[in-house]
Structure formats: structure tokens, C-alpha cells
Amino acid sequence: VGAPARFVYPGRVYRNETTDARHERAFFQYEALIVDKDISFSSGIVLIQTILEKVFGRKVNVRMREGFFPFTLTSNGFGTNDITVNIDHSSQFLSALLISSNLSPDGLTIHLEGEHGLSYIQMTVNMMKQFGVTSTPLYYCAGNNDNHSCNSCENSKRPYGYETKPGQAYKALDYMIEPDVSAASYFYAMAPLLQTEVLVNGVTKESMQGDVAFIEILEKMGCKITHTPEGILLSPGDGI
């Protein structure tokens, strides 16, 4: 192949790690090659900008700065205030939509398909509320179509969607980020194994993370839980 030549290679890229059915990830990557005389770095920027604008269907600002993504996508605002999201493979997209839902001038109603990661969604909603934005879970009660939460309806514990009213804004505040309770569980498991006390700073009974239930399981096995200002102190107890 002789010059001049311009090549664009779109392709699917997979994560180089062990995954499972619910965490399989793939993304698309574009690579370009230009062979010609008097080619400058700006020529590549023009090519990248042309490709991205075709892909996204709108204006894209391309910049090449170290430590930044190579482009900025210009938003055209919300095209609708009622959408449906499938979370069978990941709940992260729903979390992102919920966090930004207050930016919709008419509010936003999100309907769910699937139920993967709903505990993480609840964590997202709780944190949004702490910062001043409320997104209300929508529950379906068979028989009267009532929007409520109860314990007697089959679907009452699994929301079919979320609704964010317009006119809400986040407020700045000092915020203590919870430690990763999944990682902390390994240390708490050492209490009965090594017959020693374990305390992980910041892990409390008020944690929004479901993995805090692991500490309660250790308590049922005979360990002793003491709630301290620093966090949960786990002692091996006499039963193990």
C-alpha cells in the first residue's frame, strides 16, 4: 500500500482479567494511522474529531492534554424525561443516570429492566439524599397500581423504577467516605482464626454496604461486636 493512506481500525476490546456472566466487560476502541507527506499532529486531531462526530452524531471538541480524555462531548440536553434502563449486566449505568437526573429541567423517571445490583443502587440513592437530591423508588402493588412500599406485596421490595423531581440541586459538604467493607471482611475474619481483636476504622453499623452483614454472621458464630467511635471492634469471643 502506497502513500498517501489513511486507516481507521474500529474493534472490540476485552478486559484482561477473569470475569463472570454478570461482569463481562467490553468496549470499542478506534485506532487510526495516517501515511502522507507534511503530516502534523493536528492532522491526527482532525481525523479523530471527524470519527467521533460521526459516532456520536454531534459536535465533539478534541484536545490533547496529558492527564485528560482526548475529547469533550458537547451535550444537547435531555431528549426525554422518561427512559428505561436494563441493569441485568451492570447497575453502574443506572447509578450514573440517577446522579445526573437532577439536571433534567422536567425531572426524570427511570424504569428498570432486570434486578442486578439493586443494593448498590440503594446506596447511590442514599448518598444522593445526603447531598440534597432525592430520587424516589417506584413500587408496583398488584391490584391497585399504587406507588408505595409495603411488606405484603410480592414486588414491594424491588422497585420498578425511580423518579427524580425537577428543581433539585446538590449541596457541598464535608463527607466521610466509607472504607470498603468487602476488603475489611478479610481482616474481620482473622478475629476467630487468629484469636485476636480486629478493628477497621470507619466501618460502623450504619454502613450502607451490604457486606457489613458478614460481621453479623461472625457474631452469630460466637464473636463479640463492640461499637466504638472509631468503628466496629470484633473480638473472637468464647464460642469459637
Side-chain angles (χ1 to χ4, degrees):
V1 179
R6 288 171 170 78
F7 302 94
V8 177
Y9 306 95
R12 181 173 292 181
V13 182
Y14 293 90
R15 290 169 56 169
N16 184 25
E17 58 185 79
T18 302
T19 58
D20 56 49
R22 287 191 170 184
H23 295 83
E24 188 67 54
R25 290 290 178 273
F27 59 92
F28 289 91
Q29 178 173 304
Y30 286 84
E31 295 183 1
L33 174 64
I34 306 176
V35 181
D36 203 348
K37 295 180 179 180
D38 301 322
I39 290 296
S40 64
F41 192 72
S42 60
S43 302
I45 293 178
V46 173
L47 179 61
I48 293 173
Q49 182 170 345
T50 302
I51 294 172
L52 292 175
E53 288 183 350
K54 291 291 185 181
V55 171
F56 292 112
R58 61 188 61 182
K59 180 176 175 56
V60 174
N61 297 320
V62 175
R63 60 181 182 181
M64 295 297 179
R65 295 174 57 192
E66 184 178 352
F68 291 84
F69 285 111
F71 65 92
T72 301
L73 182 62
T74 303
S75 172
N76 288 337
F78 285 79
T80 179
N81 64 345
D82 194 300
I83 61 174
T84 299
V85 178
N86 189 302
I87 61 171
D88 274 335
H89 297 292
S90 175
S91 60
Q92 296 177 7
F93 303 109
L94 175 58
S95 287
L97 286 169
L98 285 170
I99 291 172
S100 60
S101 60
N102 69 304
L103 298 177
S104 175
D106 301 317
L108 185 64
T109 299
I110 305 174
H111 301 271
L112 303 186
E113 292 180 353
E115 54 186 59
H116 170 66
L118 284 175
S119 60
Y120 292 103
I121 297 304
Q122 187 58 49
M123 191 186 309
T124 298
V125 172
N126 290 344
M127 293 183 69
M128 288 170 57
K129 189 173 183 178
Q130 291 174 337
F131 282 87
V133 174
T134 299
S135 188
T136 305
L138 305 174
Y139 296 91
Y140 174 72
C141 178
N144 59 16
N145 295 328
D146 190 19
N147 173 20
H148 74 295
S149 176
C150 70
N151 297 320
S152 59
C153 301
E154 180 181 355
N155 296 323
S156 65
K157 295 182 180 179
R158 185 178 70 85
Y160 69 81
Y162 289 87
E163 182 182 32
T164 304
K165 297 290 187 182
Q168 301 185 71
Y170 290 108
K171 58 184 179 182
L173 66 141
D174 293 330
Y175 191 82
M176 179 66 71
I177 299 176
E178 293 185 10
D180 186 342
V181 182
S182 297
S185 296
Y186 291 97
F187 293 94
Y188 280 118
M190 295 180 184
L193 292 175
L194 303 180
Q195 290 293 295
T196 186
E197 293 185 339
V198 174
L199 186 151
V200 179
N201 286 330
V203 176
T204 67
K205 62 181 179 179
E206 290 81 17
S207 172
M208 291 186 286
Q209 301 173 65
D211 291 308
V212 75
F214 177 74
I215 305 173
E216 299 173 359
I217 294 174
L218 293 175
E219 182 182 32
K220 293 178 181 179
M221 293 172 58
C223 292
K224 179 183 177 181
I225 289 179
T226 302
H227 298 286
T228 74
E230 292 78 24
I232 294 177
L233 173 66
L234 189 70
S235 306
D238 301 325
I240 299 181

